[in-house]
Amino acid sequence: MSCVDKMDGEASALRRWCILRTSGGKTLALARSLSAGGIEAWTPTRTVKRPKGPKRVKPGTRRPMVEIEMPILPTFVFAREAHVETLAALATDERSRHPAFSVFTHAGRAPLIGERSITGLREAERVAAELIAVAREHETKEEQRRARAALLRTERERRKALRTERREFTIGQRVTVPDARALSGMTGIVQASDGTSALVAFGGSLTMTIEAWRLLPNDLQAG
């Protein structure tokens, strides 16, 4: 065999795959175990979201979601042709720490497949990755929406509670309205107050009735 032929053979061995068979539940574990042991092995995977915890939950609550990685082609793992002899030995080695598997054979030999033969599986894995990315993005947006809604509810409840408070202001007392942008930096003088609201003059013809909870004594703000 010439040097060129030998190189072509080595390159071919790097490109082709042998097929391993295992139980469905051990598909991912086998691919990971072999990879960790220095054997190039692969099985196409997809990630799905599943609800976690008991099926029955309190009304108005949702079960948390968890991500689970699953094989697209259960029971099948692909390994590079260069490892086929090692794999054949491992498959019958009772002391092997890898999940149980066998090297797929047909007519007494281990059929080898090229990279083109798994193109469809590569594409299925890519599409699955895109789908879970979209699902994660949607979930993140939904969580953000819920967080904003919760903040709004909290703010509404806070304002509702504040409106029930009574604040007494004396006539002539100087006040500001911190949460009103239009009145930012302006100081008003209380003209009248009944505990729930106050008539405040800001100079000139600008006189407004403002809820008492929104007013802050000017000396308190300065302090």
Side-chain angles (χ1 to χ4, degrees), residues 105-118:
T105 60
H106 179 70
R109 58 184 293 273
L112 302 173
I113 60 175
E115 192 67 31
R116 290 183 179 179
S117 298
I118 61 172

Side-chain angles (χ1 to χ4, degrees), residues 44-45 72 119-132:
T45 63
I72 292 177
T119 299
L121 294 174
R122 296 277 196 198
E123 179 64 12
E125 188 175 58
R126 184 191 67 78
V127 171
E130 289 182 354
L131 289 175
I132 191 62

Side-chain angles (χ1 to χ4, degrees), residues 50-119:
R50 295 279 176 83
K52 179 184 178 181
K55 292 183 178 180
R56 293 183 178 180
V57 296
K58 295 180 180 179
T61 61
R62 297 182 58 188
R63 295 168 64 188
M65 302 294 288
V66 295
E67 292 188 357
I68 301 175
E69 189 176 17
M70 302 177 63
I72 292 177
L73 198 63
T75 75
F76 286 87
V77 174
F78 302 93
R80 290 297 185 183
E81 175 189 0
H83 304 294
V84 66
E85 293 182 2
T86 300
L87 290 165
L90 286 174
T92 57
D93 187 354
E94 295 182 354
R95 297 170 299 174
S96 173
R97 296 182 180 181
H98 300 292
F101 72 94
S102 63
V103 179
F104 177 71
T105 60
H106 179 70
R109 58 184 293 273
L112 302 173
I113 60 175
E115 192 67 31
R116 290 183 179 179
S117 298
I118 61 172
T119 299

